[in-house]
Amino acid sequence: MAQKTALIVFAHQSPASFNAAVLDVSVQELTQQGYRVIVSDLYATNFRANATRDDIIGDLRNPDLFQYGEETMWAWKERRLSSDIMEEQRKVEEAELVIFQFPLYWFSVPAVMKGWMDRVLTQGFAFSLEKMYNNGIFKDKKAMLSFTTGATQTMFQADGINGDINVTLWPLQNGTLHFCGFQVLAPQIFWSPAHCPAAGRAAMLEAWRARLKGLQEEKPLTFAPCELFDLSFAGGFLLRPEVKKEKELQPFGITTGHHLGKPLPPDNQTRASQDQEPGCSSNL
Ligand code: FAD
């Protein structure tokens, strides 16, 4: 059987950090499972975060109005993207599994990782209007967020001061990863390692190692498939009327984002569908 490849996109400045310790466990465990593991260490390689004209080699199609998305789409087709982007795209192409390892910054990824997403996931390579979400270009690949927080778990509950972590995760998991087609595995969240005793941190690392052993069998999170929507500008990309009518009879919204003004389906962005309560969002 061909060797599987895992790509870990890593964003932490310090090799002594808890994030680096998590990365070590991931590399050890996935290697032991027979994966070829590639690490993109974004700070160590000084990966550039800002999406600029320098990402395109040669002339622009429209020098009068620079449109990054358009220009990078053409540059990707013509193999005229800068070498650091092409290198990362090659790694994504080779990987069956992509793990993003980072500390939560402002409810999101650190700027350097956002820059990786902005610059590497170009139109044509990662998505098109015809190929998105469950029909997306990376639909045969899996991706997941693995991150540490400063906040405790209760702070990120629906009644906690930061609000529901499912809402926090929706833009990254739906708007970036699933938009490009990835099957998104439940996030791995290391709650507040800096405020945790050493034994608690060791236990978190062991729990991660144990999860990695079964990762290949995990079911992905549930999202709303494209087939539920009228995929035309005339139809506004809205839920098809018959689907809307049926979903409005359900006790919960479809997903965290497609809530239809109803209670959010519990744990939609944090637990895989087989773990969720029946009738919430897994029966699409
Ligand atoms: P570290 O401080 O590196 O590590 C924590 C502890 O683990 C340390 O004592 C370290 O020595 C120890 N450790 C290291 N290796 C091991 C090992 N092998 N075994 C056991 N222990 C080990 N937090 C939020 O919750 N929400 C936010 O929106 C948010 N925004 C932020 C924005 C910015 C700009 C910044 C700077 C921080 C923000 N934070 C936020 C906090 C941030 O998410 C945490 O500081 C970070 O996640 C902690 O992870 P770390 O790897 O840096 O921990």
Side-chain angles (χ1 to χ4, degrees), residues 254-275:
I254 305 172
T255 63
T256 302
H258 310 100
H259 53 69
L260 309 179
K262 292 173 171 295
L264 300 187
D267 302 328
N268 173 247
Q269 291 298 295
T270 47
R271 276 165 60 194
S273 52
Q274 84 269 27
D275 300 333

mmCIF file with all atom_site columns, all heavy atoms in Angstrom, residues 254-275:
data_model
loop_
_atom_site.group_PDB
_atom_site.id
_atom_site.type_symbol
_atom_site.label_atom_id
_atom_site.label_alt_id
_atom_site.label_comp_id
_atom_site.label_asym_id
_atom_site.label_entity_id
_atom_site.label_seq_id
_atom_site.pdbx_PDB_ins_code
_atom_site.Cartn_x
_atom_site.Cartn_y
_atom_site.Cartn_z
_atom_site.occupancy
_atom_site.B_iso_or_equiv
_atom_site.pdbx_formal_charge
_atom_site.auth_seq_id
_atom_site.auth_comp_id
_atom_site.auth_asym_id
_atom_site.auth_atom_id
_atom_site.pdbx_PDB_model_num
ATOM 1   N N   . ILE A 1 254 ? -29.614 23.672 11.026 1.00 0.00 ? 254 ILE A N   1
ATOM 2   C CA  . ILE A 1 254 ? -28.918 22.624 10.273 1.00 0.00 ? 254 ILE A CA  1
ATOM 3   C C   . ILE A 1 254 ? -27.477 22.501 10.745 1.00 0.00 ? 254 ILE A C   1
ATOM 4   O O   . ILE A 1 254 ? -26.972 21.404 10.997 1.00 0.00 ? 254 ILE A O   1
ATOM 5   C CB  . ILE A 1 254 ? -28.953 22.937 8.757  1.00 0.00 ? 254 ILE A CB  1
ATOM 6   C CG1 . ILE A 1 254 ? -30.387 23.135 8.280  1.00 0.00 ? 254 ILE A CG1 1
ATOM 7   C CG2 . ILE A 1 254 ? -28.278 21.824 7.964  1.00 0.00 ? 254 ILE A CG2 1
ATOM 8   C CD1 . ILE A 1 254 ? -30.496 23.643 6.847  1.00 0.00 ? 254 ILE A CD1 1
ATOM 9   N N   . THR A 1 255 ? -26.802 23.641 10.822 1.00 0.00 ? 255 THR A N   1
ATOM 10  C CA  . THR A 1 255 ? -25.420 23.693 11.311 1.00 0.00 ? 255 THR A CA  1
ATOM 11  C C   . THR A 1 255 ? -25.298 24.945 12.190 1.00 0.00 ? 255 THR A C   1
ATOM 12  O O   . THR A 1 255 ? -26.249 25.730 12.299 1.00 0.00 ? 255 THR A O   1
ATOM 13  C CB  . THR A 1 255 ? -24.416 23.831 10.153 1.00 0.00 ? 255 THR A CB  1
ATOM 14  O OG1 . THR A 1 255 ? -24.674 25.082 9.496  1.00 0.00 ? 255 THR A OG1 1
ATOM 15  C CG2 . THR A 1 255 ? -24.511 22.703 9.141  1.00 0.00 ? 255 THR A CG2 1
ATOM 16  N N   . THR A 1 256 ? -24.106 25.161 12.718 1.00 0.00 ? 256 THR A N   1
ATOM 17  C CA  . THR A 1 256 ? -23.871 26.374 13.523 1.00 0.00 ? 256 THR A CA  1
ATOM 18  C C   . THR A 1 256 ? -24.191 27.630 12.719 1.00 0.00 ? 256 THR A C   1
ATOM 19  O O   . THR A 1 256 ? -24.777 28.575 13.240 1.00 0.00 ? 256 THR A O   1
ATOM 20  C CB  . THR A 1 256 ? -22.397 26.408 13.982 1.00 0.00 ? 256 THR A CB  1
ATOM 21  O OG1 . THR A 1 256 ? -22.141 25.224 14.729 1.00 0.00 ? 256 THR A OG1 1
ATOM 22  C CG2 . THR A 1 256 ? -22.098 27.627 14.831 1.00 0.00 ? 256 THR A CG2 1
ATOM 23  N N   . GLY A 1 257 ? -23.815 27.633 11.435 1.00 0.00 ? 257 GLY A N   1
ATOM 24  C CA  . GLY A 1 257 ? -24.060 28.794 10.590 1.00 0.00 ? 257 GLY A CA  1
ATOM 25  C C   . GLY A 1 257 ? -25.458 28.834 10.015 1.00 0.00 ? 257 GLY A C   1
ATOM 26  O O   . GLY A 1 257 ? -26.094 29.889 9.974  1.00 0.00 ? 257 GLY A O   1
ATOM 27  N N   . HIS A 1 258 ? -25.953 27.677 9.577  1.00 0.00 ? 258 HIS A N   1
ATOM 28  C CA  . HIS A 1 258 ? -27.303 27.616 8.987  1.00 0.00 ? 258 HIS A CA  1
ATOM 29  C C   . HIS A 1 258 ? -28.304 27.300 10.091 1.00 0.00 ? 258 HIS A C   1
ATOM 30  O O   . HIS A 1 258 ? -28.926 26.237 10.106 1.00 0.00 ? 258 HIS A O   1
ATOM 31  C CB  . HIS A 1 258 ? -27.369 26.530 7.904  1.00 0.00 ? 258 HIS A CB  1
ATOM 32  C CG  . HIS A 1 258 ? -26.263 26.614 6.897  1.00 0.00 ? 258 HIS A CG  1
ATOM 33  N ND1 . HIS A 1 258 ? -25.140 25.817 6.948  1.00 0.00 ? 258 HIS A ND1 1
ATOM 34  C CD2 . HIS A 1 258 ? -26.098 27.418 5.827  1.00 0.00 ? 258 HIS A CD2 1
ATOM 35  C CE1 . HIS A 1 258 ? -24.338 26.134 5.953  1.00 0.00 ? 258 HIS A CE1 1
ATOM 36  N NE2 . HIS A 1 258 ? -24.889 27.093 5.259  1.00 0.00 ? 258 HIS A NE2 1
ATOM 37  N N   . HIS A 1 259 ? -28.456 28.257 11.021 1.00 0.00 ? 259 HIS A N   1
ATOM 38  C CA  . HIS A 1 259 ? -29.272 27.941 12.206 1.00 0.00 ? 259 HIS A CA  1
ATOM 39  C C   . HIS A 1 259 ? -30.756 28.213 11.982 1.00 0.00 ? 259 HIS A C   1
ATOM 40  O O   . HIS A 1 259 ? -31.590 27.750 12.757 1.00 0.00 ? 259 HIS A O   1
ATOM 41  C CB  . HIS A 1 259 ? -28.747 28.704 13.429 1.00 0.00 ? 259 HIS A CB  1
ATOM 42  C CG  . HIS A 1 259 ? -28.612 30.163 13.203 1.00 0.00 ? 259 HIS A CG  1
ATOM 43  N ND1 . HIS A 1 259 ? -29.677 31.000 13.041 1.00 0.00 ? 259 HIS A ND1 1
ATOM 44  C CD2 . HIS A 1 259 ? -27.504 30.945 13.080 1.00 0.00 ? 259 HIS A CD2 1
ATOM 45  C CE1 . HIS A 1 259 ? -29.258 32.222 12.860 1.00 0.00 ? 259 HIS A CE1 1
ATOM 46  N NE2 . HIS A 1 259 ? -27.930 32.232 12.852 1.00 0.00 ? 259 HIS A NE2 1
ATOM 47  N N   . LEU A 1 260 ? -31.090 28.946 10.922 1.00 0.00 ? 260 LEU A N   1
ATOM 48  C CA  . LEU A 1 260 ? -32.498 29.224 10.591 1.00 0.00 ? 260 LEU A CA  1
ATOM 49  C C   . LEU A 1 260 ? -33.254 29.858 11.757 1.00 0.00 ? 260 LEU A C   1
ATOM 50  O O   . LEU A 1 260 ? -34.475 29.669 11.897 1.00 0.00 ? 260 LEU A O   1
ATOM 51  C CB  . LEU A 1 260 ? -33.226 27.931 10.141 1.00 0.00 ? 260 LEU A CB  1
ATOM 52  C CG  . LEU A 1 260 ? -32.558 27.099 9.040  1.00 0.00 ? 260 LEU A CG  1
ATOM 53  C CD1 . LEU A 1 260 ? -33.396 25.867 8.731  1.00 0.00 ? 260 LEU A CD1 1
ATOM 54  C CD2 . LEU A 1 260 ? -32.360 27.921 7.770  1.00 0.00 ? 260 LEU A CD2 1
ATOM 55  N N   . GLY A 1 261 ? -32.523 30.545 12.626 1.00 0.00 ? 261 GLY A N   1
ATOM 56  C CA  . GLY A 1 261 ? -33.161 31.192 13.771 1.00 0.00 ? 261 GLY A CA  1
ATOM 57  C C   . GLY A 1 261 ? -33.562 30.235 14.873 1.00 0.00 ? 261 GLY A C   1
ATOM 58  O O   . GLY A 1 261 ? -34.290 30.600 15.788 1.00 0.00 ? 261 GLY A O   1
ATOM 59  N N   . LYS A 1 262 ? -33.066 28.989 14.781 1.00 0.00 ? 262 LYS A N   1
ATOM 60  C CA  . LYS A 1 262 ? -33.411 27.963 15.794 1.00 0.00 ? 262 LYS A CA  1
ATOM 61  C C   . LYS A 1 262 ? -32.213 27.740 16.725 1.00 0.00 ? 262 LYS A C   1
ATOM 62  O O   . LYS A 1 262 ? -31.112 28.229 16.439 1.00 0.00 ? 262 LYS A O   1
ATOM 63  C CB  . LYS A 1 262 ? -33.704 26.645 15.074 1.00 0.00 ? 262 LYS A CB  1
ATOM 64  C CG  . LYS A 1 262 ? -34.945 26.682 14.243 1.00 0.00 ? 262 LYS A CG  1
ATOM 65  C CD  . LYS A 1 262 ? -35.065 25.414 13.431 1.00 0.00 ? 262 LYS A CD  1
ATOM 66  C CE  . LYS A 1 262 ? -36.422 25.379 12.778 1.00 0.00 ? 262 LYS A CE  1
ATOM 67  N NZ  . LYS A 1 262 ? -37.504 25.278 13.785 1.00 0.00 ? 262 LYS A NZ  1
ATOM 68  N N   . PRO A 1 263 ? -32.405 26.945 17.799 1.00 0.00 ? 263 PRO A N   1
ATOM 69  C CA  . PRO A 1 263 ? -31.249 26.604 18.631 1.00 0.00 ? 263 PRO A CA  1
ATOM 70  C C   . PRO A 1 263 ? -30.166 25.936 17.781 1.00 0.00 ? 263 PRO A C   1
ATOM 71  O O   . PRO A 1 263 ? -30.478 25.190 16.844 1.00 0.00 ? 263 PRO A O   1
ATOM 72  C CB  . PRO A 1 263 ? -31.824 25.610 19.649 1.00 0.00 ? 263 PRO A CB  1
ATOM 73  C CG  . PRO A 1 263 ? -33.286 25.858 19.667 1.00 0.00 ? 263 PRO A CG  1
ATOM 74  C CD  . PRO A 1 263 ? -33.660 26.339 18.286 1.00 0.00 ? 263 PRO A CD  1
ATOM 75  N N   . LEU A 1 264 ? -28.897 26.225 18.103 1.00 0.00 ? 264 LEU A N   1
ATOM 76  C CA  . LEU A 1 264 ? -27.797 25.624 17.324 1.00 0.00 ? 264 LEU A CA  1
ATOM 77  C C   . LEU A 1 264 ? -27.759 24.128 17.577 1.00 0.00 ? 264 LEU A C   1
ATOM 78  O O   . LEU A 1 264 ? -27.971 23.685 18.706 1.00 0.00 ? 264 LEU A O   1
ATOM 79  C CB  . LEU A 1 264 ? -26.456 26.228 17.757 1.00 0.00 ? 264 LEU A CB  1
ATOM 80  C CG  . LEU A 1 264 ? -26.282 27.735 17.599 1.00 0.00 ? 264 LEU A CG  1
ATOM 81  C CD1 . LEU A 1 264 ? -24.844 28.133 17.915 1.00 0.00 ? 264 LEU A CD1 1
ATOM 82  C CD2 . LEU A 1 264 ? -26.646 28.179 16.179 1.00 0.00 ? 264 LEU A CD2 1
ATOM 83  N N   . PRO A 1 265 ? -27.465 23.349 16.543 1.00 0.00 ? 265 PRO A N   1
ATOM 84  C CA  . PRO A 1 265 ? -27.292 21.913 16.784 1.00 0.00 ? 265 PRO A CA  1
ATOM 85  C C   . PRO A 1 265 ? -26.125 21.715 17.748 1.00 0.00 ? 265 PRO A C   1
ATOM 86  O O   . PRO A 1 265 ? -25.040 22.247 17.499 1.00 0.00 ? 265 PRO A O   1
ATOM 87  C CB  . PRO A 1 265 ? -26.993 21.344 15.397 1.00 0.00 ? 265 PRO A CB  1
ATOM 88  C CG  . PRO A 1 265 ? -26.594 22.515 14.567 1.00 0.00 ? 265 PRO A CG  1
ATOM 89  C CD  . PRO A 1 265 ? -27.225 23.727 15.155 1.00 0.00 ? 265 PRO A CD  1
ATOM 90  N N   . PRO A 1 266 ? -26.303 21.008 18.840 1.00 0.00 ? 266 PRO A N   1
ATOM 91  C CA  . PRO A 1 266 ? -25.258 20.939 19.859 1.00 0.00 ? 266 PRO A CA  1
ATOM 92  C C   . PRO A 1 266 ? -23.937 20.402 19.323 1.00 0.00 ? 266 PRO A C   1
ATOM 93  O O   . PRO A 1 266 ? -23.921 19.430 18.572 1.00 0.00 ? 266 PRO A O   1
ATOM 94  C CB  . PRO A 1 266 ? -25.839 19.959 20.890 1.00 0.00 ? 266 PRO A CB  1
ATOM 95  C CG  . PRO A 1 266 ? -27.309 19.982 20.673 1.00 0.00 ? 266 PRO A CG  1
ATOM 96  C CD  . PRO A 1 266 ? -27.511 20.260 19.215 1.00 0.00 ? 266 PRO A CD  1
ATOM 97  N N   . ASP A 1 267 ? -22.867 21.077 19.661 1.00 0.00 ? 267 ASP A N   1
ATOM 98  C CA  . ASP A 1 267 ? -21.498 20.615 19.363 1.00 0.00 ? 267 ASP A CA  1
ATOM 99  C C   . ASP A 1 267 ? -21.239 20.411 17.869 1.00 0.00 ? 267 ASP A C   1
ATOM 100 O O   . ASP A 1 267 ? -20.387 19.606 17.493 1.00 0.00 ? 267 ASP A O   1
ATOM 101 C CB  . ASP A 1 267 ? -21.194 19.301 20.101 1.00 0.00 ? 267 ASP A CB  1
ATOM 102 C CG  . ASP A 1 267 ? -21.359 19.434 21.598 1.00 0.00 ? 267 ASP A CG  1
ATOM 103 O OD1 . ASP A 1 267 ? -21.113 20.530 22.119 1.00 0.00 ? 267 ASP A OD1 1
ATOM 104 O OD2 . ASP A 1 267 ? -21.747 18.427 22.227 1.00 0.00 ? 267 ASP A OD2 1
ATOM 105 N N   . ASN A 1 268 ? -21.948 21.130 17.021 1.00 0.00 ? 268 ASN A N   1
ATOM 106 C CA  . ASN A 1 268 ? -21.833 20.916 15.575 1.00 0.00 ? 268 ASN A CA  1
ATOM 107 C C   . ASN A 1 268 ? -20.400 21.081 15.067 1.00 0.00 ? 268 ASN A C   1
ATOM 108 O O   . ASN A 1 268 ? -19.987 20.406 14.120 1.00 0.00 ? 268 ASN A O   1
ATOM 109 C CB  . ASN A 1 268 ? -22.771 21.890 14.848 1.00 0.00 ? 268 ASN A CB  1
ATOM 110 C CG  . ASN A 1 268 ? -22.610 21.872 13.348 1.00 0.00 ? 268 ASN A CG  1
ATOM 111 O OD1 . ASN A 1 268 ? -22.159 22.840 12.737 1.00 0.00 ? 268 ASN A OD1 1
ATOM 112 N ND2 . ASN A 1 268 ? -22.971 20.763 12.728 1.00 0.00 ? 268 ASN A ND2 1
ATOM 113 N N   . GLN A 1 269 ? -19.620 21.986 15.696 1.00 0.00 ? 269 GLN A N   1
ATOM 114 C CA  . GLN A 1 269 ? -18.254 22.240 15.215 1.00 0.00 ? 269 GLN A CA  1
ATOM 115 C C   . GLN A 1 269 ? -17.189 21.616 16.109 1.00 0.00 ? 269 GLN A C   1
ATOM 116 O O   . GLN A 1 269 ? -15.993 21.855 15.909 1.00 0.00 ? 269 GLN A O   1
ATOM 117 C CB  . GLN A 1 269 ? -18.022 23.763 15.111 1.00 0.00 ? 269 GLN A CB  1
ATOM 118 C CG  . GLN A 1 269 ? -18.824 24.405 13.996 1.00 0.00 ? 269 GLN A CG  1
ATOM 119 C CD  . GLN A 1 269 ? -18.454 23.875 12.626 1.00 0.00 ? 269 GLN A CD  1
ATOM 120 O OE1 . GLN A 1 269 ? -17.336 24.065 12.171 1.00 0.00 ? 269 GLN A OE1 1
ATOM 121 N NE2 . GLN A 1 269 ? -19.382 23.177 11.967 1.00 0.00 ? 269 GLN A NE2 1
ATOM 122 N N   . THR A 1 270 ? -17.613 20.822 17.075 1.00 0.00 ? 270 THR A N   1
ATOM 123 C CA  . THR A 1 270 ? -16.626 20.246 17.992 1.00 0.00 ? 270 THR A CA  1
ATOM 124 C C   . THR A 1 270 ? -16.707 18.726 18.115 1.00 0.00 ? 270 THR A C   1
ATOM 125 O O   . THR A 1 270 ? -15.796 18.107 18.657 1.00 0.00 ? 270 THR A O   1
ATOM 126 C CB  . THR A 1 270 ? -16.754 20.851 19.411 1.00 0.00 ? 270 THR A CB  1
ATOM 127 O OG1 . THR A 1 270 ? -18.131 20.843 19.780 1.00 0.00 ? 270 THR A OG1 1
ATOM 128 C CG2 . THR A 1 270 ? -16.209 22.266 19.466 1.00 0.00 ? 270 THR A CG2 1
ATOM 129 N N   . ARG A 1 271 ? -17.803 18.146 17.632 1.00 0.00 ? 271 ARG A N   1
ATOM 130 C CA  . ARG A 1 271 ? -17.917 16.685 17.713 1.00 0.00 ? 271 ARG A CA  1
ATOM 131 C C   . ARG A 1 271 ? -18.390 16.117 16.388 1.00 0.00 ? 271 ARG A C   1
ATOM 132 O O   . ARG A 1 271 ? -19.249 16.702 15.725 1.00 0.00 ? 271 ARG A O   1
ATOM 133 C CB  . ARG A 1 271 ? -18.924 16.289 18.804 1.00 0.00 ? 271 ARG A CB  1
ATOM 134 C CG  . ARG A 1 271 ? -18.275 16.253 20.188 1.00 0.00 ? 271 ARG A CG  1
ATOM 135 C CD  . ARG A 1 271 ? -19.320 16.238 21.264 1.00 0.00 ? 271 ARG A CD  1
ATOM 136 N NE  . ARG A 1 271 ? -20.189 15.072 21.162 1.00 0.00 ? 271 ARG A NE  1
ATOM 137 C CZ  . ARG A 1 271 ? -21.350 14.959 21.812 1.00 0.00 ? 271 ARG A CZ  1
ATOM 138 N NH1 . ARG A 1 271 ? -21.786 15.944 22.564 1.00 0.00 ? 271 ARG A NH1 1
ATOM 139 N NH2 . ARG A 1 271 ? -22.071 13.884 21.699 1.00 0.00 ? 271 ARG A NH2 1
ATOM 140 N N   . ALA A 1 272 ? -17.832 14.956 16.036 1.00 0.00 ? 272 ALA A N   1
ATOM 141 C CA  . ALA A 1 272 ? -18.219 14.310 14.777 1.00 0.00 ? 272 ALA A CA  1
ATOM 142 C C   . ALA A 1 272 ? -19.660 13.838 14.847 1.00 0.00 ? 272 ALA A C   1
ATOM 143 O O   . ALA A 1 272 ? -20.205 13.634 15.934 1.00 0.00 ? 272 ALA A O   1
ATOM 144 C CB  . ALA A 1 272 ? -17.292 13.140 14.501 1.00 0.00 ? 272 ALA A CB  1
ATOM 145 N N   . SER A 1 273 ? -20.264 13.677 13.664 1.00 0.00 ? 273 SER A N   1
ATOM 146 C CA  . SER A 1 273 ? -21.702 13.423 13.613 1.00 0.00 ? 273 SER A CA  1
ATOM 147 C C   . SER A 1 273 ? -22.127 12.167 14.364 1.00 0.00 ? 273 SER A C   1
ATOM 148 O O   . SER A 1 273 ? -23.193 12.134 14.949 1.00 0.00 ? 273 SER A O   1
ATOM 149 C CB  . SER A 1 273 ? -22.169 13.357 12.169 1.00 0.00 ? 273 SER A CB  1
ATOM 150 O OG  . SER A 1 273 ? -21.371 12.453 11.460 1.00 0.00 ? 273 SER A OG  1
ATOM 151 N N   . GLN A 1 274 ? -21.282 11.110 14.369 1.00 0.00 ? 274 GLN A N   1
ATOM 152 C CA  . GLN A 1 274 ? -21.733 9.878  15.034 1.00 0.00 ? 274 GLN A CA  1
ATOM 153 C C   . GLN A 1 274 ? -21.839 10.065 16.539 1.00 0.00 ? 274 GLN A C   1
ATOM 154 O O   . GLN A 1 274 ? -22.504 9.312  17.225 1.00 0.00 ? 274 GLN A O   1
ATOM 155 C CB  . GLN A 1 274 ? -20.835 8.671  14.700 1.00 0.00 ? 274 GLN A CB  1
ATOM 156 C CG  . GLN A 1 274 ? -19.576 8.518  15.526 1.00 0.00 ? 274 GLN A CG  1
ATOM 157 C CD  . GLN A 1 274 ? -18.384 9.230  14.896 1.00 0.00 ? 274 GLN A CD  1
ATOM 158 O OE1 . GLN A 1 274 ? -18.548 10.192 14.164 1.00 0.00 ? 274 GLN A OE1 1
ATOM 159 N NE2 . GLN A 1 274 ? -17.183 8.764  15.177 1.00 0.00 ? 274 GLN A NE2 1
ATOM 160 N N   . ASP A 1 275 ? -21.162 11.155 17.053 1.00 0.00 ? 275 ASP A N   1
ATOM 161 C CA  . ASP A 1 275 ? -21.205 11.411 18.497 1.00 0.00 ? 275 ASP A CA  1
ATOM 162 C C   . ASP A 1 275 ? -22.360 12.320 18.880 1.00 0.00 ? 275 ASP A C   1
ATOM 163 O O   . ASP A 1 275 ? -22.630 12.518 20.049 1.00 0.00 ? 275 ASP A O   1
ATOM 164 C CB  . ASP A 1 275 ? -19.918 12.124 18.958 1.00 0.00 ? 275 ASP A CB  1
ATOM 165 C CG  . ASP A 1 275 ? -18.697 11.285 18.672 1.00 0.00 ? 275 ASP A CG  1
ATOM 166 O OD1 . ASP A 1 275 ? -18.851 10.057 18.624 1.00 0.00 ? 275 ASP A OD1 1
ATOM 167 O OD2 . ASP A 1 275 ? -17.613 11.863 18.505 1.00 0.00 ? 275 ASP A OD2 1
#
